[in-house]
Amino acid sequence: MTSTDAAFAGSIPALYDRCLGPLLFQPYAEDMARRVTKLRPARILETAAGTGIVTEALARALPEAEIVATDLNQAMLDVAARRVRSPNVSFMAADAQSLPFADASFDAVVCQFGVMFFPDRIAAYREARRVLRPGGRFLFNCWDRLDRNPVSDIVASAVAALFQADPPSFLNRVPFGYHDKERVMADLRAAGFSDTAGETVVLESRLASARDAALGLCQGSPLRSEIEQRDPARIEEATSAVAEALSRQGYGDSAASPLSAHVFSAA
């Protein structure tokens, strides 16, 4: 991890929510909400809640449950708080590796596509286990390999081609860098979980447009910081090059976007 890998500031949160939400996160948010609903939890903690895409799905599926949505980044939570308005949902800035909650406080802990950003994942898993009540479960997901997520793979390749001497590596390293299921399961066991399960879930979304997909990944994620570190004047060039690459490879307006991720459950 570098200092910019978790940099969600400025215009990034709004672009992330508008462009990347439908493209990458909404299908898995609905899947996660269905899984959590089966547990019938009364009190849910969400870590790395981002802009509240899963929070909204959970609140809709479990309107009577109390949901505490946390994230390290207040700018992301500000977007989430505008998205989800419910007396049963609260938002709080908190570090998943050091949670400000008492032991055995929640029936379920949920994290969507956040564990890849934790500098110490085992510490975060221990904290999830600590705040779970007896019989509670920790549910989370993380991306499969980059080459099994073609839109993101095309973006990574197109940006790398613009900076061949020093290609940006954020997508490979962070969101798609924790894809080995056995490694994840080993980390869960190291954190004290004994009842664990993981499965690969393949879903699909549709691009609003190649431009929106390029805008979301190039300017609505920490990839933006890597591009700007190399040449801040080339961010629009990179966005246009990515949009062209997506269109050229069949990912234009309304194209189907295959997605692959792993979903884990631990107790």
Side-chain angles (χ1 to χ4, degrees):
M1 294 281 287
T2 71
S3 61
T4 62
D5 285 344
F8 292 88
S11 62
I12 288 179
L15 287 171
Y16 172 103
D17 190 61
R18 179 174 71 82
C19 299
L20 296 187
L23 177 66
L24 299 178
F25 305 125
Q26 194 65 47
Y28 286 98
E30 300 300 330
D31 175 76
M32 183 65 76
R34 285 191 294 270
R35 293 169 188 269
V36 177
T37 299
K38 293 176 182 177
L39 304 177
R40 306 180 73 176
R43 193 164 193 247
I44 303 166
L45 171 66
E46 184 184 358
T47 58
T51 59
I53 294 168
V54 175
T55 319
E56 182 179 45
L58 290 171
R60 187 167 56 246
L62 293 159
E64 302 302 318
E66 179 188 354
I67 301 170
V68 181
T70 66
D71 195 281
L72 196 59
N73 193 303
Q74 185 61 51
M76 298 288 272
L77 288 177
D78 290 343
V79 175
R82 292 192 291 272
R83 170 194 290 277
V84 185
R85 299 181 184 275
S86 166
N88 292 337
V89 178
S90 59
F91 296 93
M92 177 188 302
D95 185 347
Q97 300 162 118
S98 181
L99 293 168
F101 306 108
D103 296 357
S105 298
F106 297 93
D107 301 302
V109 177
V110 178
C111 184
Q112 169 145 297
F113 298 123
V115 299
M116 306 89 73
F117 291 87
F118 299 157
D120 188 340
R121 298 184 188 101
I122 294 174
Y125 296 163
R126 285 197 188 105
E127 280 292 272
R129 182 171 176 267
R130 179 183 66 78
V131 301
L132 278 171
R133 291 171 178 156
R137 295 200 75 87
F138 175 34
L139 290 92
F140 66 96
N141 51 23
C142 55
W143 291 113
D144 197 351
R145 294 197 325 244
L146 182 59
D147 61 2
R148 292 179 177 167
N149 290 274
V151 167
S152 296
D153 196 18
I154 292 166
V155 172
S157 297
V159 172
L162 293 178
F163 301 94
Q164 295 183 30
D166 183 18
S169 61
F170 167 73
L171 291 176
N172 310 66
R173 286 185 301 102
V174 184
F176 296 96
Y178 190 53
H179 56 73
D180 185 334
K181 283 197 289 187
E182 291 306 314
R183 177 186 175 192
V184 178
M185 299 287 268
D187 286 348
L188 286 169
R189 290 191 293 271
F193 287 103
S194 56
D195 177 5
T196 60
E199 64 176 300
T200 301
V201 177
V202 176
L203 297 175
E204 183 179 274
S205 68
R206 289 201 169 269
L207 279 71
S209 68
R211 171 68 185 179
D212 269 11
L215 192 62
L217 282 160
C218 291
Q219 299 190 34
S221 83
L223 177 59
R224 176 177 190 146
S225 297
E226 285 196 330
I227 295 169
E228 291 180 333
Q229 282 178 341
R230 285 151 180 82
D231 188 342
R234 298 186 72 186
I235 187 68
E236 283 298 336
E237 177 191 352
T239 305
S240 295
V242 164
E244 290 170 9
L246 287 168
S247 295
R248 192 165 56 247
Q249 297 191 48
Y251 292 99
D253 297 0
S254 299
S257 171
L259 302 166
S260 184
H262 306 310
V263 182
F264 297 89
S265 174

